[in-house]
Amino acid sequence: MQSAQSFPKVAAMPQFLDTQDAGFEAAFTALLGMKREDSPDVDAVVAGIIADVRARGDAAVIELTSRFDKLDLTPDRLAFSPEEIAAEVAKVTPEDRAALELAAARIRAYHERQMPEDACWQDSCGATLGWRWTPVSAAGLYVPGGLASYPSSVLMNAIPAKVAGVERLVIACPTPGGVVNPLVLLAAQLSGVDTVYRIGGAQAVAALAYGTETIRGVDKITGPGNAFVAAAKRRVFGKVGIDMIAGPSEILVIADADNDPDWIALDLLSQAEHDESAQSILVTTDAGFGRAVVAAIEGHLETLERRAIAAASWRDFGAVIVVRDLDEAAALSNRVAPEHLELCVADPDDLATKITHAGAIFLGGWTPEAIGDYVGGPNHVLPTARSARFSSGLSVMDFLKRTTIARMTPEALAAIGPAAERLAISESLQAHGLSVRARLDRLNGGQR
Amino acid sequence: MQSAQSFPKVAAMPQFLDTQDAGFEAAFTALLGMKREDSPDVDAVVAGIIADVRARGDAAVIELTSRFDKLDLTPDRLAFSPEEIAAEVAKVTPEDRAALELAAARIRAYHERQMPEDACWQDSCGATLGWRWTPVSAAGLYVPGGLASYPSSVLMNAIPAKVAGVERLVIACPTPGGVVNPLVLLAAQLSGVDTVYRIGGAQAVAALAYGTETIRGVDKITGPGNAFVAAAKRRVFGKVGIDMIAGPSEILVIADADNDPDWIALDLLSQAEHDESAQSILVTTDAGFGRAVVAAIEGHLETLERRAIAAASWRDFGAVIVVRDLDEAAALSNRVAPEHLELCVADPDDLATKITHAGAIFLGGWTPEAIGDYVGGPNHVLPTARSARFSSGLSVMDFLKRTTIARMTPEALAAIGPAAERLAISESLQAHGLSVRARLDRLNGGQR
């Protein structure tokens, strides 16, 4: 069995674990419990910003945008004008536009299949039961500014909303110093966004949740953001719906020896390059293959544009885990509940049946995770930080809600009403019971 | 047009609005914006309790239970023993048991229909796409103690979890002074709950979220609770999943003149009796009918067991709104987005098609809302405080999560990979692009 000692000392060496080592369980538990995010406690600041926006509306938003984004706005310039959007969108190259259009079409086709169906049936006692789905009326998408201003994320948030039938769809995207990414505006246009506000931070979340003189409030806010945005979303949750509190991204790759180490290295790096807090884990049945992947990563880290970020992520949070077999690999992966999971093995479909917790699965060596980020079709907004144990990626369901339906006939009420009355009495809710009893009495020819 | 002046002055008079009155819009907006909940700011206290439970585990839970519930426990007595449960359950009358069993069977049958289907298809470029649903592994249900300890809520939370396939299902229910409701334990037994902990408050939520020496942590926490429980759920959200932050209950009844005012009065009161913060609104096309309902409510308020609570709710938050027609009624109801909506009109199915936001709809005069609380089949855990604008009642979906699936063939990657590479480059994510490029190069007979 090889261990970390057999590696030369390099800058960005990940953890190297083996399930057959004595200390494995402790090391793996430590890996699971690693605190990757350095989330500053901005809650008090955010509470103040929200209160300010609620009290002073546009004036507060404009003042905070000037302070944080170095951008001076007026109420009529909070949103991009159609002319401004057209001028920015005109800068996009035909190649970039074609790529974005392909992505939009594929994401739309995938999400259209997610539309759930209404249901209605009669049960044995004659009651009609069922449910109906209706869209959220208005949604707001938060799009980060600067480096993390990803046009692909605009598509991933906006298209499911439009497929669900959301009537009014707006974006809040800060433009520090007035700089905007033309591709973000094109993505908004391609997905049917109605309005793009050039505001960000907790003030944008507050404005979307509570509305201002100029900005109409929405019912649901989705999209990633920094610590201020996350804290603001948590605070406005309840007043409006939110998607999730996203954490740093992660990937777990299960690979056997029959893979090109370079492909797997690049897949791991494509997660690591996102963020110093990102996590890339390789689980392999072959220690030699694991070492080859580590070597390939070392090589790429010499030339990669974002090598400082990727190296830090790989060094601090990366791991190579050697397992006895694929069953063990699946069991470990389920404990991690990774956001992204690649199954680079001979029979990925079989291995997939053993996976119980993962945001998205990429089957086989020809499916790099990056395909899912852009053009695969499934959503790239996925549960991070082990939350795939209890939550799902963004979908049309996030922009729909279900209304349950029930209709009793007199016969149905006669059949099940007495049980309802009995339970109401047992819970000391007399009026509940009487509301049933008054109807039963009518049926029995009783009073009234 | 009649107005409130035509009523005698009584103790529990609701607001009486008419859409044709000049001040209607302002009055209705005020009604919508009413702050019904007096939620004390317990966040700092709750933060301390959670930190204490994380640091000291069982010892903290036991100490806090002694302080808040006047109940002294030991680690081995945190959960009810099978013998204790059997002894309590034996106290339930055959009639109560039969009613609870009927409710459980109907709730189970309804929720079994909610199970979503997996999907898998091949698209035109040869990619395989789809998704799979898997259950949350472990869920914890919070059940309030004392007066609000409703066995029906145990069924409504636990049965969807079991239908979804949750393996381990536990309940936390405080038993102040050691007093427990036998029907709660029977409901737990009927719905397949594994363990019932006699703990409550923020300490119970913390124990379920983080685990202690004795209590295994869960992945999802659902169920209603007081301000401490709500604040704790908000704080642990992200570490575990939660259902919703429930507020005080509400009902809106749309009724024409062809109804028995007494039935409608009892339906409104069955909401009002829950809580002084509950809200009951009647929307009617007939002012005379509205007055008859108000009079019937007055009558019942003289004898109702919970008349103090019901009268306060009706006086402070009740409203009768006279509308021109049913279209106007639907439009107002959609602005309220009520938790419960009764449509007591000649053609309730037609009116239902105009409803865009409601937690649950009860069709026709033979369907009192109380049926939905117990035996109808649909869930009674529903979005309150206008959150039906963006959320749904509890369902099996709350205990399931979706994993998306993608599998490229070499041909599929050749077709869509270049667009992914292009978008990756536009987002300055080089490794993303390279992970696609390395595979495309292999196809093109390039390097390696």
Side-chain angles (χ1 to χ4, degrees), chain B residues 397-409:
Chain B
M397 310 292 275
D398 287 283
F399 300 98
L400 294 167
K401 58 265 181 344
R402 188 190 43 244
T403 300
T404 59
I405 304 277
R407 179 174 195 164
M408 298 296 126
T409 57

Side-chain angles (χ1 to χ4, degrees), chain A residues 247-261:
Chain A
S249 202
E250 71 249 350
I251 190 171
L252 189 147
V253 179
I254 300 179
D256 58 26
D258 292 332
N259 281 281
D260 186 330

Side-chain angles (χ1 to χ4, degrees), chain B residues 17-386:
Chain B
L17 309 178
D18 189 310
T19 57
Q20 302 200 53
D21 285 351
F24 174 76
E25 182 55 34
F28 184 71
T29 304
L31 187 72
L32 280 184
M34 256 183 181
K35 189 168 164 53
R36 289 189 280 137
E37 211 173 4
D38 179 29
S39 41
D41 190 3
V42 298
D43 197 47
V45 176
V46 165
I49 289 174
I50 293 174
D52 192 19
V53 172
R54 288 184 70 176
R56 298 196 298 130
D58 284 345
V61 171
I62 288 170
E63 203 175 293
L64 291 160
T65 302
S66 172
R67 189 189 317 161
F68 294 123
D69 295 341
K70 312 292 174 215
L71 180 67
D72 291 321
L73 294 174
T74 48
D76 61 310
R77 292 193 62 244
L78 284 169
F80 281 92
S81 69
E83 296 72 29
E84 287 173 311
I85 292 176
E88 290 294 333
V89 162
K91 298 176 186 167
V92 176
T93 67
E95 294 76 14
D96 280 351
R97 173 185 274 271
L100 211 56
E101 285 175 346
L102 176 82
R106 291 186 59 87
I107 295 163
R108 189 173 295 116
Y110 182 93
H111 287 79
E112 280 171 351
R113 295 209 181 220
Q114 289 180 329
M115 282 297 283
E117 289 190 5
D118 295 350
C120 185
W121 66 92
Q122 272 210 342
D123 71 9
S124 58
C125 75
T128 302
L129 300 173
W131 60 77
R132 289 171 47 219
W133 293 94
T134 46
V136 166
S137 294
L141 315 179
Y142 190 88
V143 178
L147 250 188
S149 184
Y150 297 138
S152 56
S153 292
V154 173
L155 301 182
M156 293 291 179
N157 279 273
I159 290 174
K162 286 311 273 190
V163 169
V166 171
E167 253 173 64
R168 188 165 60 86
L169 189 56
V170 307
I171 280 180
C173 178
T175 59
V179 178
V180 64
N181 180 346
L183 279 167
V184 162
L185 293 178
L186 176 58
Q189 204 174 62
L190 291 177
S191 16
V193 170
D194 297 295
T195 310
V196 181
Y197 297 106
R198 50 188 135 210
I199 58 175
Q203 60 275 21
V205 174
L208 290 177
Y210 290 97
T212 69
E213 303 91 315
T214 304
I215 299 170
R216 278 171 68 194
V218 299
D219 302 305
K220 175 113 187 184
I221 299 176
T222 69
N226 62 17
F228 291 86
V229 171
K233 281 170 69 180
R234 191 181 283 270
R235 277 201 165 257
V236 301
F237 171 49
K239 166 68 183 168
V240 299
I242 64 171
D243 52 341
M244 59 183 88
I245 309 288
S249 201
E250 70 248 352
I251 190 171
L252 190 148
V253 179
I254 300 179
D256 58 26
D258 291 332
N259 282 280
D260 186 330
D262 196 54
W263 293 11
I264 303 303
L266 286 166
D267 296 352
L268 294 166
L269 284 171
S270 71
Q271 209 57 35
E273 75 175 343
H274 265 295
D275 190 332
E276 294 186 3
S277 311
Q279 182 165 49
S280 304
I281 299 175
L282 171 63
V283 176
T284 179
T285 45
D286 189 296
F289 177 76
R291 287 191 297 278
V293 170
V294 169
I297 286 177
E298 284 298 311
H300 282 292
L301 281 178
E302 288 174 16
T303 59
L304 206 62
E305 287 163 16
R306 297 168 71 112
R307 59 185 169 273
I309 293 170
S313 157
W314 183 235
R315 179 193 65 224
D316 295 342
F317 305 114
V320 175
I321 304 176
V322 181
V323 290
R324 290 180 188 83
D325 55 35
L326 294 180
D327 281 349
E328 196 171 58
L332 290 182
S333 177
N334 288 336
R335 287 175 66 189
V336 174
E339 181 189 11
H340 305 99
L341 174 60
E342 282 188 11
L343 304 181
C344 300
V345 297
D347 189 349
D349 288 308
D350 177 64
L351 184 53
T353 63
K354 295 168 185 159
I355 300 301
T356 54
H357 308 310
I361 302 182
F362 303 88
L363 296 162
W366 290 99
T367 318
E369 183 274 329
I371 283 293
D373 283 337
Y374 298 110
V375 296
N379 212 288
H380 80 196
V381 181
L382 293 165
T384 58
R386 307 190 60 218

